[in-house]
């Protein structure tokens, strides 16, 4: 990653570039890129395009902005692209939430070229099929002798080069599977293509009645459609993966030994235990270590799920991935790189993901069972007819017809058509499917496991403003605006929302780890940790309800208390109610304290809840659920959930989740509401039913046409009819998904 | 039947023309944003002259 500060949605990342520059590290960074991609999950109409483009072009330093509505992203060019934060803020101001995408990863990849290549082959096959069909209609309607031969020759002249060009994906993959001594679906396909065209060429040369050029080319065409749809759903998956930028802080400020206070920016990989690194407010800790200097507060939410920031002082142990909030810290490295707790977590995720990749989709299992049957049938037709009649030409003819008819045109379309239709529909509802088999796995989910902070709740604290005089609150606002601490910012936002303006204060300064202090009219003002703000004041302390954070404000002899509560994510209550009504097991897992977890569980009516669960225990619980056959769906967002997300049967994370969590999950929720998850579950079941229906439909066609082929009654006309009508039926059945129940 | 000598090349040529047009459009990145292009036609930005 060339950008040191692209990662994360942390509250104060904006501070990081400036901080790096002041440390003299600015020139060490890669040259500022002048192209930027932002993802725009809510854009959907002509007005959105115009709004976003106009809004971006109004920003200084933007020379070009173009929205791609199909991909829901905008490409921005110009010097302003070096720093996405103000552009994202500008878009948020006009009502379009945006996320930064990594331009390095979005450059045209080999896979994208492969998609175009497939489309080109598809077009050529389609062109050839239309023309050969045109000629074949004449033959079917009774052309004879010289005319028929002429038309057959013309068909051959179109079909043979087409098959050589358009059939390549099948030939290549069949050759690869033969070399690996496996029998994939592409082996019978290639065999059918080669046998049909070779046999037809021979028949044409002999002036025979039947040539299967049209069948061979249309087989190729329909199969390419299936391939292309398959590629499309995979491309969607890949683009989601590409949208995830790196989590790890690639650079750290290392204190130069001997030169007091001088720091240099070095790649994290070069840090050794014993080095000292400086972590500025707003920065994420790059290493595990012990605090050597400074006082601050740490946001551990991503690692433990704890909502409240933790005060930190010299001598305390800190881990990589935590965010430093208020004061600069000097940390002595105890473990860096592969040894850090972050890397250990990544290893846990990798292990869990490996287990899931062994899942085989319905289509895959179907093809495995089906492909030997095709071979056996064609071969037995050949040997029986050869034995009965002794006519080699007839036997080869019948074997080729059997192969063509059994060839799984509709079978190849059955799953991809449904998956494409379903993921398109889900995308419109704000869910991005990253994995082709995710829908099938989602349909099987029985238990649903939720994380608390950031998943069922928004992860952003909501202030309960105490009853007080406006004058005091205005002073509190002045102090609150003096810190980047999230609680402080939340107070400031809440007071601003009441129409208050900050009162003038003097000598305002932040005491890292404690709060903000100032003077106004001879009164000492303090806003900060309980106990610190009210130091020396004797006022009866009420016990704070468990699970709530608290900030005190002292103005002279007055003491005010601000309490915080994390608010529910929209749609969370509805989703939990819906899942329970459907009879699914709902479990709440959190790394937070028992108090807030129980409170939330009571609000939502979740009976099964576990508090204080660490990342490894979460993953273990998910694995044990999976072993018990519950096929859990995990919904989570934090770094502490990543292993659990990977261990679950299927997983969903909100777009606000940490990059690593989104990378580990199968489905990303683009909007803020959780409600689409319930619809996704219903749609996944519908999709699975459609896929199964499609299998039945295509096998039904085979049931009718295969006996005809085996008896030697199949003609090119019957083959063409069976093939195109079954493919059409299957596609229409898949499209039914978009019509029925499309609210 | 002599007409065939003319009609077949004509029909193949027409089909080929369509294929070439498609290939050109594909190479020209006309299929990158079908949804966006369908919506852009509704805005007034390009009505009188190319957007400046």
């Amino acid at each position: 990653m060339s950008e040191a500060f692209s990662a994360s949605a942390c509250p104060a990342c904006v501070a990081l570039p400036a901080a790096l520059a002041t440390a003299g590290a600015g020139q060490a960074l890669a040259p500022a890129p002048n192209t930027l991609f932002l993802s725009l999950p809510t854009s959907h109409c002509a007005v959105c395009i115009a709004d976003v483009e106009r809004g971006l072009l109004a920003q200084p330093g933007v020379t070009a902005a173009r929205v791609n509505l199909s991909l829901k992203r905008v490409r921005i060019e110009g010097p302003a692209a070096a720093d996405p934060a103000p552009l994202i803020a500008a878009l948020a101001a006009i009502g379009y939430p945006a996320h930064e995408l990594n331009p390095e990863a979005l450059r045209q990849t080999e896979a994208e070229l492969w998609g175009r290549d497939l489309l080109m082959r598809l077009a050529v096959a389609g062109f050839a099929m239309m023309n050969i069909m045109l000629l074949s209609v004449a033959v079917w309607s009774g052309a004879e002798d010289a005319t028929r031969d002429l038309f057959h020759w013309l068909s051959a002249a179109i079909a043979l080069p087409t098959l050589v060009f358009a059939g390549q994906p099948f030939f290549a993959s069949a050759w690869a599977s033969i070399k690996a001594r496996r029998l994939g679906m592409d082996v019978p396909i290639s065999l059918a293509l080669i046998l049909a065209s070779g046999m037809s060429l021979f028949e044409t040369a002999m002036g025979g009645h039947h040539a299967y050029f049209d069948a061979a080319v249309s087989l190729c065409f329909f199969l390419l459609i299936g391939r292309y749809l398959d590629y499309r759903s995979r491309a969607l998956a890949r683009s989601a993966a590409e949208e995830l930028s790196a989590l790890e802080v690639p650079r750290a400020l290392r204190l130069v030994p001997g030169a007091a206070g001088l720091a240099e920016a070095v790649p994290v990989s070069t840090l050794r235990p014993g080095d000292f690194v400086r972590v500025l407010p707003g920065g994420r800790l790059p290493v595990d270590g012990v605090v050597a200097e400074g006082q601050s507060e740490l946001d551990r939410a991503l690692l433990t799920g704890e909502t409240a920031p933790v005060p930190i002082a010299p001598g305390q142990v800190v881990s990589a991935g935590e965010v430093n909030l208020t004061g600069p810290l000097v940390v002595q490295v105890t473990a860096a790189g592969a040894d850090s707790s972050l890397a250990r977590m990544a290893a846990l995720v990798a292990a869990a993901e490996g287990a899931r990749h062994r899942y085989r989709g319905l289509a895959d299992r179907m093809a495995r069972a089906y492909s030997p049957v095709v071979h056996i049938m064609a071969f037995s037709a050949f040997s029986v007819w050869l034995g009965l009649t002794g006519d080699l030409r007839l036997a080869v003819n019948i074997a080729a017809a059997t192969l063509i008819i059994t060839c799984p045109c509709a079978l190849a379309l059955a799953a991809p058509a449904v998956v494409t239709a379903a993921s398109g529909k889900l995308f419109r509802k704000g869910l991005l499917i990253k994995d082709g088999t995710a829908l099938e796995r989602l349909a099987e989910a029985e238990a649903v496991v939720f994380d608390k902070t950031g998943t069922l709740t928004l992860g952003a604290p909501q202030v309960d403003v105490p009853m007080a005089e406006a004058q005091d609150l205005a002073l509190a606002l002045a102090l609150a605006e003096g810190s980047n601490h999230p609680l402080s910012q939340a107070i400031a936002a809440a007071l601003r929302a009441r129409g208050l303006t900050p009162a003038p204060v003097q000598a305002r300064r932040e005491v890292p780890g404690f709060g903000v202090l100032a003077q106004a009219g001879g009164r000492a003002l303090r806003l900060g940790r309980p106990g610190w703000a009210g130091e020396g004041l004797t006022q009866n302390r009420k016990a704070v309800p468990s699970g709530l954070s608290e900030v005190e404000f002292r103005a002279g002899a007055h003491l005010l208390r601000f309490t915080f509560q994390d608010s529910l994510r929209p749609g969370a209550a509805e989703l939990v109610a819906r899942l329970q009504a459907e009879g699914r097991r709902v479990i709440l897992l959190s790394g937070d304290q028992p108090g807030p977890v129980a409170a939330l569980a009571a609000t939502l009516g979740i009976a099964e809840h576990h508090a204080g669960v660490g990342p490894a225990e979460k993953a273990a619980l998910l694995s044990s659920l999976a072993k018990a056959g519950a096929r859990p769906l995990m919904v989570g967002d934090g770094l502490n959930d990543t292993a659990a997300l990977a261990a679950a049967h299927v997983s969903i994370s909100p777009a606000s989740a940490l990059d690593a969590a989104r990378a580990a999950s199968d489905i990303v929720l683009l909007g803020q509401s959780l409600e689409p998850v319930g619809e996704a579950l219903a749609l996944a079941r519908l999709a699975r039913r459609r896929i199964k229906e499609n299998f039945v439909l295509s096998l039904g066609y085979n049931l009718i046409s295969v006996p005809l082929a085996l008896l030697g009654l199949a003609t090119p006309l019957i083959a063409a009819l069976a093939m195109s009508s079954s493919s059409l039926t299957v596609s229409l059945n898949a499209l039914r998904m978009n019509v029925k129940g499309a609210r | 039947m002599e007409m065939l000598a003319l009609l077949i090349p004509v029909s193949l040529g027409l089909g080929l023309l369509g294929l070439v047009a498609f290939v050109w459009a594909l190479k020209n990145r006309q299929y990158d944003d079908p949804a966006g292009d369908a919506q852009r036609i509704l805005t007034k930005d390009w009505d009188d002259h190319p957007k400046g």
Side-chain angles (χ1 to χ4, degrees):
Chain A
M1 289 302 114
S2 63
E3 285 167 286
F5 43 84
S6 70
S8 93
C10 66
C13 283
V14 193
L16 196 52
L20 280 176
T22 48
Q27 72 276 19
L29 296 173
N34 59 3
T35 308
L36 173 74
F37 289 93
L38 296 178
S39 137
L40 288 170
T42 57
S43 62
H44 64 278
C45 59
V47 181
C48 310
I49 296 181
D51 277 357
V52 168
E53 291 183 354
R54 205 173 299 131
L56 283 172
L57 287 171
Q59 295 293 311
V62 176
T63 54
R66 188 168 175 95
V67 175
N68 185 327
L69 205 59
S70 312
L71 297 169
K72 293 195 189 277
R73 58 172 77 131
V74 58
R75 178 196 160 95
I76 301 164
E77 280 173 40
D83 183 12
L87 300 176
I88 292 176
L91 286 177
I94 55 172
Y96 296 96
H99 311 283
E100 191 194 351
L101 303 174
N102 185 349
E104 292 291 312
L106 289 177
R107 271 199 307 226
Q108 205 178 38
T109 52
E110 216 169 290
E112 199 174 325
L113 291 175
W114 162 245
R116 281 195 185 200
D117 184 66
L118 262 184
L119 202 58
M120 190 84 79
R121 291 180 204 279
L122 184 62
V124 170
F127 158 78
M129 184 185 77
M130 280 190 291
N131 284 287
I132 297 174
M133 279 296 172
L134 209 66
L135 298 169
S136 301
V137 169
V139 177
W140 294 335
S141 39
E144 281 182 331
D145 307 325
T147 320
R148 188 183 60 209
D149 283 351
L150 171 70
F151 281 14
H152 277 170
W153 279 117
L154 276 172
S155 304
I158 302 169
L160 294 177
T162 303
L163 287 176
V164 169
F165 174 69
Q168 266 170 27
F170 308 110
F171 300 146
S173 130
W175 181 239
S177 63
I178 287 176
K179 268 205 297 197
R181 292 169 187 284
R182 281 184 295 109
L183 215 55
M185 209 57 224
D186 283 333
V187 177
I189 290 172
S190 306
L191 208 61
L193 291 179
I194 293 170
L195 205 60
S197 46
M199 188 268 296
S200 304
L201 194 64
F202 176 75
E203 285 290 311
T204 305
M206 303 295 285
H209 288 254
H210 295 321
Y212 283 96
F213 292 118
D214 57 337
V217 174
S218 51
L219 181 68
C220 190
F221 177 69
F222 286 126
L223 289 171
L224 279 170
I225 293 181
R227 255 335 119 86
Y228 184 67
L229 290 181
D230 216 32
Y231 155 81
R232 280 270 305 266
S233 52
R234 264 172 227 195
L236 203 65
R238 206 180 26 255
S239 76
E242 280 166 358
E243 290 185 6
L244 311 165
S245 37
L247 159 75
E248 272 190 86
V249 186
R251 282 166 190 278
L253 291 173
R254 184 174 63 187
L255 296 186
V256 181
L262 195 66
E264 52 177 0
V266 294
V268 168
S269 52
T270 63
L271 289 175
R272 295 283 167 268
D275 285 350
F276 287 91
V277 292
R278 177 179 293 162
V279 185
L280 295 164
R284 188 167 270 151
L285 282 155
V287 290
D288 290 359
V290 178
V291 177
E293 265 176 54
Q295 282 201 327
S296 179
E297 276 159 296
L298 287 184
D299 178 356
R300 289 195 157 147
L302 293 174
L303 283 167
T304 63
E306 264 175 63
T307 14
V310 184
I312 212 89
Q316 278 179 289
V317 176
V318 292
S319 326
E322 296 172 341
V323 178
N324 183 13
L325 291 174
T326 44
L329 288 176
V330 173
V331 175
Q332 185 171 24
V333 181
T334 53
D339 301 324
S340 74
S341 47
L342 204 60
R344 284 201 302 275
M345 189 109 63
L348 209 61
V349 172
E353 273 188 333
R356 195 166 60 195
H357 282 158
R358 286 197 286 272
Y359 181 87
R360 308 201 70 88
L362 272 174
D364 228 26
R365 279 179 271 164
M366 193 73 190
R368 282 198 156 203
Y370 191 69
S371 121
V373 177
V374 175
H375 283 121
I376 291 166
M377 226 147 35
F379 186 73
S380 46
F382 171 77
S383 34
V384 168
W385 278 94
L386 189 66
L388 282 180
T389 62
D391 187 345
L392 184 66
R393 184 174 157 192
L394 182 68
V396 172
N397 253 321
I398 286 174
T402 313
L403 261 180
I404 286 183
I405 284 182
T406 46
C407 237
C409 256
L411 220 54
L413 278 175
V418 172
V419 169
T420 306
S423 41
K425 190 168 173 184
L426 283 176
F427 189 55
R428 286 194 292 280
K429 288 191 188 298
L431 284 159
L432 191 65
I433 308 276
K434 281 173 50 195
D435 188 301
T437 61
L439 269 177
E440 288 173 35
R441 284 184 276 127
L442 191 60
E444 292 166 352
E446 275 155 29
V448 184
V449 181
F450 288 103
D451 169 50
K452 185 178 81 76
T453 317
T455 306
L456 283 177
T457 69
L458 283 173
Q462 290 259 317
V463 194
D464 206 1
V465 180
M467 295 297 294
E469 288 171 35
Q471 191 189 342
D472 281 351
L473 290 178
L475 287 169
L477 173 58
L479 263 67
E481 289 191 339
S483 169
N484 278 326
H485 192 288
L487 293 185
S488 176
Q489 300 231 311
I491 292 179
L495 293 177
R496 282 262 181 203
R498 291 193 166 195
L500 291 167
T501 45
V505 292
Q506 293 88 43
R508 183 178 74 185
R509 69 188 173 88
E510 185 167 11
V511 183
F514 290 98
V516 186
L517 50 81
Q519 297 276 330
R523 287 196 297 173
L525 307 172
R526 281 180 174 194
L527 178 76
R529 272 163 66 181
W532 174 77
E535 220 169 20
L537 279 184
T538 47
Q539 193 167 358
N540 56 329
R541 286 191 54 82
K542 281 180 298 197
V544 185
S546 62
L548 296 184
S549 316
E550 191 194 37
V551 166
E552 285 183 344
F553 174 63
R554 171 198 187 172
H558 296 280
L559 193 63
L560 301 179
R561 276 201 192 89
F562 293 89
T563 46
F564 291 86
Q565 199 157 18
D566 203 354
S567 59
L568 273 184
R569 189 177 272 274
E574 291 86 344
L575 175 64
V576 170
R578 177 172 177 172
L579 292 175
Q580 286 178 333
E582 284 171 8
R584 287 180 217 263
R585 193 170 151 196
V586 179
I587 304 169
L588 176 61
L589 278 190
S590 177
D592 208 348
Q593 305 300 316
V597 175
L600 182 78
T603 320
L604 293 172
I606 301 174
E608 206 173 333
H609 56 89
H610 306 272
V613 192
E617 296 156 81
K618 277 194 182 185
L621 213 130
L622 262 294
S623 312
S624 69
L625 272 177
K627 279 208 188 77
R631 308 194 163 174
L633 157 67
M634 170 84 198
V635 189
D637 78 315
L639 192 57
N640 57 332
D641 302 317
T642 348
L645 286 168
H649 190 59
V650 56
S651 49
I652 301 180
S653 63
S656 61
L658 195 68
D659 304 331
R662 282 185 297 171
S665 55
D666 301 302
I667 299 171
V668 176
L669 194 61
L670 296 171
Q672 210 182 32
S673 169
L674 272 179
E675 221 169 352
V677 173
E679 290 171 35
L681 279 164
L683 199 69
R685 299 208 153 182
L686 185 67
R688 188 176 55 166
R689 199 164 71 230
R690 289 274 178 278
I691 292 178
K692 286 185 174 166
E693 280 171 13
N694 274 351
F695 285 146
V696 171
L697 277 174
S698 56
L699 287 181
Y701 272 100
N702 278 351
L703 222 57
I704 299 167
S705 51
V706 167
L708 289 179
L710 289 176
L711 292 174
L713 297 175
T715 60
L717 179 60
I718 290 180
L721 279 180
M723 204 161 0
S724 30
S725 53
S726 65
S727 300
L728 211 62
T729 323
V730 163
S731 312
L732 287 177
N733 190 41
L735 285 176
R736 210 149 61 88
M737 202 108 135
N738 276 334
V739 183
K740 203 177 144 197
R743 277 165 295 159
Chain B
M1 276 305 183
E2 289 74 32
M3 264 329 263
L4 281 182
L6 181 66
L7 285 178
I8 289 172
V10 165
S11 86
L12 286 181
L14 283 175
L16 210 58
L17 202 70
L19 183 68
V20 169
F22 173 76
V23 169
W24 172 83
L26 190 67
K27 295 232 166 189
N28 222 343
R29 314 197 65 110
Q30 303 279 328
Y31 291 93
D32 281 7
D33 183 16
D37 295 335
Q39 298 285 349
R40 270 171 205 279
I41 199 170
L42 299 173
T43 57
K44 288 185 174 161
D45 294 350
W46 295 273
D47 276 5
D48 303 323
H49 51 81
K51 196 178 178 185

